Amino acid sequence: RRLPAVLRLVALPPSAAMSKRRCSFRPQLPTAFEAMVAAKGDGLGLDSTNLADHRPIRRPRRRWMSVTDLVTEVEQALVKGERLDKESEAYINLKQEAARLRLDNDDIMDQIHELKKVRRGYVEQEDEITAKLHEDGGFALHEATMTDILQRLREVDLQLAAFRNQQQQNIRDVGHLKRTMSRIEKHGEVTSLVDRIDGTLHTSKAFDKNDPVFTELSELFIGLQTEFDKVAPKVLSYEQDLCSLTTMAQTTALDMAGKSFREADDARMTLVSHLQQAKRMLAHLARLSDIQILNAQEIGMLTRTQSQIRRHTQIQDLIKSANNDQITAKIILLQEDTSSLRNTIRDIEAGMESRSKESLAIISKLRSLKDVLSAETGKLREQLIASIHAEEQGKARLAALRGEKLQNIRFSAMLRSALPGDGV
């Protein structure tokens, strides 16, 4: 892999750096890539004439512009109700992308390692020249060389910082991919069990009390609830720590008045460090909240399935009793419950329609401020996202309610078929 153009730094040989005669030219010396190869030794069989032929082979370009694109694609599939598991193409894509990022980080670490070798050479030259600056005519003799080395050191340090920045981004992306893979694993376990139960119930079969499905339901439920409960105190602790850190950061920001330039600069670096830590804590807090949200959703699905099994058993017992009066009364109750569900659905949809209009108004206002970055646009954008979140949650709730409505209709049909004649 070719290094970025900014990394093509020129390395000064010690002989030129320590020469006591004036040099009126800058030597044409190896690039940083060549310096890295030289640092690895001659065993590689590389020289300046065939470096291009021996550069690492580029990996195939990925299908997605970013990890965010891939994760969004998976999340949209899950929201639409697509069944994903560890054998699905989506999961395999996530796993492959995580592996690619780890390999990229390995490459970055190799480049950092070799670049540090080049940097050590510059630092040694800097120390040697500094020791000679106080000799007769030392400063004038080494001024150009010293300036050159300091500039190169600065460029190397900036490139190292750029590498570290990319490394951090890759680490964050791997974490994002792993969380999405975990979501698929959890959701896949739950939906696999729920689909199996639905398939059995649709054949009008009842589960035996000792059926293994109850154990599976219980284990999944307990596992998700236990994880949810473990996260709760961590969220509270992080919120308290974040509040303390934010207060400390703001105190540091207000404490710069009257300080010298260097003291103020040091204080700003401390402030940036505190703010970066706050960002990391916020990101971790978001990850913990994601776990709670996902577990709550999966627990809700399991709870609805348990309710469905229980109601199905009650209907089957009622049919077996052949008590026409009780069957008729149950049909009426189911009809009333269906009517109540219909009203609830209408209320939710009316509220969503109102929020949809609010969202359009916010979008219109944001478009009128498309070239403005301010507290107002930030607040508007947050309101828009909150409205969209509420609509997404409302749609999920509507899907659950319509599932209950569908159950009522199916149960009513089962009961009607058990009545003599036309039933109710």
Side-chain angles (χ1 to χ4, degrees), residues 229-239 284-285 288:
D229 294 339
K230 284 183 178 179
V231 168
K234 293 180 181 179
V235 171
L236 292 175
S237 175
Y238 258 78
E239 287 175 345
H284 189 61
L285 188 60
L288 294 174

Side-chain angles (χ1 to χ4, degrees), residues 137-248:
F139 185 82
L141 182 63
H142 298 291
E143 178 183 0
T145 305
M146 186 63 162
T147 301
D148 192 60
I149 288 178
L150 291 176
Q151 179 61 28
R152 292 158 198 258
L153 268 172
R154 181 176 178 274
E155 291 173 351
V156 169
D157 285 338
L158 290 175
Q159 184 57 44
L160 284 170
F163 277 144
R164 289 301 189 187
N165 180 270
Q166 183 60 55
Q167 189 180 20
Q168 290 177 45
Q169 184 59 51
N170 288 353
I171 291 171
R172 284 192 291 268
D173 285 345
V174 169
H176 205 178
L177 291 166
K178 289 179 68 176
R179 288 195 298 279
T180 307
M181 290 164 65
S182 175
R183 181 178 180 182
I184 289 177
E185 291 167 8
K186 285 182 183 178
H187 192 66
E189 277 190 281
V190 172
T191 54
S192 175
L193 179 58
V194 168
D195 289 346
R196 190 147 43 93
I197 292 171
D198 281 343
T200 301
L201 295 179
H202 272 75
T203 61
S204 298
K205 293 180 180 178
F207 286 100
D208 182 81
K209 291 182 179 179
N210 298 321
D211 195 296
V213 76
F214 293 107
T215 302
E216 293 182 57
L217 270 172
S218 177
E219 289 177 351
L220 268 177
F221 183 91
I222 292 172
L224 291 166
Q225 187 64 55
T226 300
E227 186 178 35
F228 184 96
D229 294 339
K230 284 183 178 179
V231 168
K234 293 180 181 179
V235 171
L236 292 175
S237 175
Y238 258 78
E239 287 175 345
Q240 293 170 358
D241 293 344
L242 185 60
C243 182
S244 300
L245 183 62
T246 303
T247 301
M248 185 188 305

